[in-house]
Amino acid sequence: MAAIRYDAAAAEAYRRAREIPRDGLTAWRAAIGASARLAPGMTVLDVGAGTGAFATAFRDWYGVRVLAVEPADAMRALVPADDRIEVVAGRAESLPLPDGCADAAWLGSVLHHLADLDAAAHELRRVLRPGGRVLVRNAFPGRCSRDLRVRFFPETAAGIDDYPGVERVCAAFAAAGFTRLSLESLPQQNAPTLAEFADRIRRDADSKLASLGDARFEAGMARLRSAAAADPAAPATSWMDLLVLG
Ligand SMILES: C[S@@+](CC[C@H](N)C(=O)[O-])C[C@H]1O[C@@H](n2cnc3c(N)ncnc32)[C@H](O)[C@@H]1O
């Protein structure tokens, strides 16, 4: 699958096209709150923080401090740093952080970008305090049929087949001392309607869509526009997995 190079244009496209509106994440807020055992003042590590959409959500939802680790300069530049969001240049495989500095870690749509999953799992064990949980939000092979992109662009499922699977991820984390605690699919509302979702789609912001040829991309857009016209009030609901390890 074509990798996205997160330069300034791609970072801005990501911010505009891929960040989920905060009010579309109600189920995620509840599920994270139930499983992460967060309290105000704790520190959450956001690994592969991108433009900071989840860093700001964690700060606002749970009153925590966030260490937002992100390798791409252009993505980091868009993270709204403040007294509770510290932005750090770095990669999951070699975190530039001291031992035991965080109470939980969040990896949002980043697993499939990692060059070395095993090294990342060991780094997370090192920087998390005992009992700290790792929350992984990702598409997994064989579990992505309710992803809106897969629904309208079915060829994207083949790309997700190359992502690390649930068992592979759990094995990497088990070797680093983590146990699988839960796995659930959660809904998110990408846009109020399918038409608005279609308007927001940017191929250059999404490695799955960027990999499609023109004909397949246009065919998917036609399917999406047709579904939007058939049911104008239908919300653009997509599903992704939350895997919790601890
Ligand atoms: C699809 S974006 C997700 C951004 C954000 N977590 C979100 O959910 O909006 C993937 C991010 O992972 C970052 N990334 C790529 N390789 C990485 C690595 N080895 N360690 C940490 N982050 C990485 C990319 O630069 C990019 O910002």
Side-chain angles (χ1 to χ4, degrees):
M1 185 184 298
I4 297 280
R5 197 175 146 264
Y6 289 110
D7 57 16
E12 182 55 29
Y14 187 94
R15 194 183 61 74
R16 288 176 40 205
R18 298 281 307 281
E19 286 191 2
I20 312 298
R22 186 74 67 82
D23 57 8
L25 290 168
T26 310
W28 283 86
R29 178 179 183 172
I32 294 164
S35 55
R37 303 192 299 193
L38 299 174
M42 286 183 169
T43 298
V44 173
L45 182 57
D46 184 357
V47 181
T51 52
F54 281 96
T56 53
F58 272 75
R59 175 198 64 194
D60 299 344
W61 289 342
Y62 311 115
V64 295
R65 174 176 167 258
V66 181
L67 288 169
V69 177
E70 167 56 47
D73 295 347
M75 298 293 259
R76 262 195 335 274
L78 297 183
V79 179
D82 63 15
D83 59 338
R84 284 193 290 149
I85 298 180
E86 183 180 341
V87 185
V88 181
R91 315 187 77 82
E93 298 88 341
S94 176
L95 293 167
L97 298 169
D99 296 359
C101 66
D103 298 287
W106 171 253
L107 287 87
S109 303
V110 68
L111 274 189
H112 48 284
H113 291 276
L114 302 181
D116 188 338
L117 175 61
D118 303 285
H122 280 89
E123 274 295 82
L124 286 165
R125 179 66 282 160
R126 181 182 67 76
V127 301
L128 284 184
R129 298 192 180 108
R133 294 189 168 176
V134 178
L135 292 95
V136 174
R137 167 185 149 91
N138 224 81
F140 288 107
R143 296 180 53 91
C144 57
S145 60
R146 292 190 292 173
D147 184 311
L148 266 187
R149 290 161 300 184
V150 174
R151 180 175 154 202
F152 292 107
F153 305 88
E155 300 87 357
T156 56
I160 295 171
D161 284 344
D162 294 335
Y163 289 11
V166 172
E167 298 311 320
R168 165 76 182 101
V169 174
C170 290
F173 277 87
F178 291 96
T179 302
R180 168 177 165 169
L181 298 177
S182 63
L183 174 67
E184 61 183 320
S185 286
L186 293 168
Q188 64 191 38
Q189 200 172 316
N190 287 27
T193 65
L194 289 173
E196 287 167 86
F197 175 64
D199 290 343
R200 284 186 68 194
I201 283 186
R202 292 282 305 265
R203 253 169 123 182
D204 52 350
D206 192 318
S207 54
K208 296 173 195 62
L209 300 181
S211 301
L212 300 177
D214 290 346
R216 286 177 169 169
F217 179 72
E218 293 309 332
M221 288 303 291
R223 279 189 289 271
L224 176 52
R225 294 278 183 208
S226 160
D231 191 354
T237 303
S238 195
W239 293 71
M240 203 181 281
D241 284 326
L242 174 64
L243 171 64
V244 181
L245 304 125

